[in-house]
Amino acid sequence: MGKALILLLGSLLLAGCTTPVSPARQAWCDHNQPRRASAIVVAAMTRPELDEINAYNGKGARWCGWKP
């Protein structure tokens, strides 16, 4: 009985680690892709433009699993 209870609690803890993806988040991931600018374009961008691209790509990394 003790082992069964430990296994049950362990599986409940592991199940809590997986968060279902909301439909809105999934739609965002399905319709967007990383923004990758060339070095020349990056050199010509303003700081606010770079910050916006970094924030966008950061959101994609968190929400969609994009790799840098």
Side-chain angles (χ1 to χ4, degrees):
M1 177 72 175
K3 289 182 183 180
L5 182 59
I6 290 172
L7 289 174
L8 176 64
L9 289 175
S11 64
L12 288 175
L13 289 173
L14 289 175
C17 293
T18 58
T19 306
V21 177
S22 71
R25 182 180 288 195
Q26 187 61 51
W28 192 91
C29 291
D30 290 343
H31 291 86
N32 290 286
Q33 59 188 15
R35 294 182 186 164
R36 308 283 189 229
S38 68
I40 295 171
V41 172
V42 169
M45 296 176 90
T46 65
R47 181 79 250 168
E49 290 171 328
L50 290 170
D51 291 342
E52 191 276 327
I53 286 180
N54 287 333
Y56 172 87
N57 286 336
K59 180 179 182 177
R62 287 187 311 276
W63 282 19
C64 312
W66 297 348
K67 302 292 181 202

